[in-house]
Amino acid sequence: MAAPTRARLRPEERRAQLIGIGLRLLTTRPIHEMSIDEVAAEAGISRGLLFHYFPTKRDYYVAVVRAGGDRLLLHARAPEDGAPGERVRGIVDGFVSFVQRRRDNYVAVVRAAAGGDERVLEVFEDNRRVLTDRMLDAAGVHDPTPLHRLAVRGWLAMAEEMAIGAVDDVITTTGLVDLLVSALEQVTERFTPRST
Amino acid sequence: MAAPTRARLRPEERRAQLIGIGLRLLTTRPIHEMSIDEVAAEAGISRGLLFHYFPTKRDYYVAVVRAGGDRLLLHARAPEDGAPGERVRGIVDGFVSFVQRRRDNYVAVVRAAAGGDERVLEVFEDNRRVLTDRMLDAAGVHDPTPLHRLAVRGWLAMAEEMAIGAVDDVITTTGLVDLLVSALEQVTERFTPRST
């Protein structure tokens, strides 16, 4: 819900509004074609005021991609307690449901990260590291080796690709979650005996 | 090996030279920051002559990404005859070895595809479709369902991520190929009974 044009917003509301506009515009064009003037115009503020919140165009892009990643992290969470199986399933279900509910937006943020500059890419990498650690922790791998991390990163790439590509008549969300949970189990089991 | 500056090249040699320059420059900057003037200058030709080979900047970008993808397809091939297991291993080994030998370049082309426009992305998607069909054929899945294709696309994303991320002290190329071959077997076996 966009705030009314030219409304007086508190700083944190204005920031959130500007980022929301960026996330929406990303679904229509690559990040490097997104114009700061357009964002400011949509928010009903001056270009100067936008630069008050984000000193450079790059700062703004970084904030938009980070916000997209943070939303994902908010959804892809494990229940606080529960057996490893349930905790893994909680994250996977959150991840897949999130991607599928806002597919265009998710794809746009991933493309923005890939096509962006080093700082944008770094934000994306940080997000992947957090998600990888979270998966490993939920799976009960408390002292992960580099090989564990590599395998979970690979698994994440698969999960992302399949969640984006899966449409209802091919596989249900539940079916996909089952598949990904069992693939993750295979991956972590395979490495644990060898690497400890 | 770059041709000597200002040398007279035959049209197909000139095209190959220009594409080679693009593939190299991609490792240093995002595709949308690559300048046509710079490419022409490196080739020792005029901007006008470059546009004779590639009518628009976009045509040039598309050609560069397509060439990157074609090189991959050339390496990730199955032996003509052999059991499904050997044929799958041939492709996976070609894929992993290719990515690892020219990691920076591979990552650059993938990023260029993601950050590029619709036509560039379409070229990348075509490449993925060819690779998916090739994997399924080698695995002996001759009448693939949409679920098979989705699963192999997921597997390809995992293979790519792991090949990019794997360094020698984490897992050897052979170890990674073993792992990916067995992951693919699990994926195709899992779907075949359900979907036929």
Side-chain angles (χ1 to χ4, degrees):
Chain A
M1 287 184 291
T5 302
R6 291 171 204 286
R8 277 207 165 270
L9 298 181
R10 280 177 305 183
E12 64 273 31
E13 290 170 336
R14 182 65 79 191
R15 267 186 76 92
Q17 177 207 28
L18 293 169
I19 286 172
I21 291 170
L23 285 169
R24 188 155 37 76
L25 286 181
L26 266 191
T27 61
T28 64
R29 74 209 68 184
I31 197 164
H32 53 86
E33 289 176 15
M34 201 160 72
S35 123
I36 286 294
D37 288 325
E38 195 179 358
V39 174
E42 279 224 26
I45 64 172
S46 69
R47 183 184 168 89
L49 186 55
L50 189 146
F51 283 120
H52 169 73
Y53 291 98
F54 305 97
T56 69
K57 195 169 166 176
R58 193 163 286 197
D59 289 318
Y60 177 65
Y61 292 168
V62 167
V64 168
V65 170
R66 179 175 288 129
D70 285 349
R71 289 187 185 181
L72 170 65
L73 292 179
L74 206 63
H75 283 80
R77 278 201 294 200
E80 280 302 319
D81 37 60
E86 291 166 50
R87 302 191 71 224
V88 166
R89 169 166 278 274
I91 302 177
V92 177
D93 187 57
F95 180 87
V96 171
S97 309
F98 178 83
V99 173
Q100 296 198 324
R101 263 201 313 275
R102 24 181 115 206
R103 203 180 308 245
D104 290 351
N105 202 259
Y106 183 85
V107 170
V109 171
V110 171
R111 289 189 60 186
D117 65 21
E118 289 307 313
R119 268 181 69 205
V120 173
L121 204 63
E122 189 48 47
V123 164
F124 185 78
E125 279 295 308
D126 280 345
N127 187 279
R128 280 290 177 268
R129 269 190 287 271
V130 171
L131 212 46
T132 300
D133 287 347
R134 201 181 274 184
M135 290 303 315
L136 284 163
D137 181 65
V141 182
H142 296 302
D143 197 12
T145 62
L147 190 49
H148 278 119
R149 288 185 193 284
L150 178 68
V152 173
R153 281 296 295 261
W155 175 88
L156 264 178
M158 178 171 73
E160 178 178 88
E161 180 79 26
M162 293 187 76
I164 291 170
V167 286
D168 263 352
D169 55 348
V170 174
I171 190 168
T172 61
T173 299
T174 311
L176 181 55
V177 170
D178 286 344
L179 186 161
L180 290 170
V181 167
S182 97
L184 186 76
E185 278 165 3
Q186 279 158 2
V187 155
T188 48
E189 271 163 29
R190 181 180 177 119
F191 293 131
T192 305
R194 289 193 182 186
S195 53
T196 53
Chain B
M1 286 186 292
T5 302
R6 291 174 205 284
R8 276 207 165 270
L9 298 181
R10 279 178 306 185
E12 63 273 31
E13 290 170 337
R14 182 65 79 191
R15 266 187 76 92
Q17 178 207 29
L18 293 169
I19 286 171
I21 291 170
L23 285 169
R24 188 156 36 77
L25 286 181
L26 267 191
T27 61
T28 64
R29 74 209 66 186
I31 197 164
H32 52 88
E33 287 176 16
M34 202 159 71
S35 122
I36 286 295
D37 288 325
E38 195 179 358
V39 174
E42 279 224 28
I45 64 173
S46 70
R47 183 183 167 88
L49 186 55
L50 190 146
F51 282 121
H52 169 73
Y53 291 99
F54 304 98
T56 68
K57 195 169 169 176
R58 193 163 286 194
D59 289 319
Y60 177 65
Y61 291 168
V62 167
V64 168
V65 170
R66 178 174 289 131
D70 286 349
R71 288 186 185 182
L72 170 66
L73 291 180
L74 206 63
H75 284 80
R77 280 201 294 199
E80 280 301 320
D81 36 61
E86 289 167 51
R87 302 191 70 222
V88 166
R89 170 167 278 274
I91 302 176
V92 176
D93 186 57
F95 181 87
V96 171
S97 309
F98 179 83
V99 173
Q100 295 197 324
R101 263 201 314 275
R102 25 180 113 203
R103 203 180 310 245
D104 290 352
N105 202 259
Y106 184 85
V107 171
V109 171
V110 171
R111 289 188 60 188
D117 66 20
E118 289 307 313
R119 268 180 67 204
V120 173
L121 204 63
E122 189 49 47
V123 164
F124 185 77
E125 279 294 309
D126 280 345
N127 188 278
R128 281 289 177 270
R129 268 190 288 271
V130 171
L131 213 45
T132 301
D133 287 346
R134 200 181 274 186
M135 290 303 314
L136 284 164
D137 181 64
V141 181
H142 296 302
D143 196 12
T145 62
L147 191 50
H148 278 118
R149 288 184 192 283
L150 178 69
V152 172
R153 282 295 296 260
W155 175 88
L156 265 177
M158 177 170 74
E160 177 177 89
E161 180 79 26
M162 292 186 77
I164 291 170
V167 287
D168 263 353
D169 55 349
V170 174
I171 189 167
T172 62
T173 299
T174 310
L176 182 55
V177 170
D178 287 344
L179 186 161
L180 290 171
V181 167
S182 96
L184 186 76
E185 279 165 2
Q186 278 157 2
V187 156
T188 48
E189 273 164 27
R190 181 179 178 120
F191 292 131
T192 305
R194 287 195 183 184
S195 54
T196 53

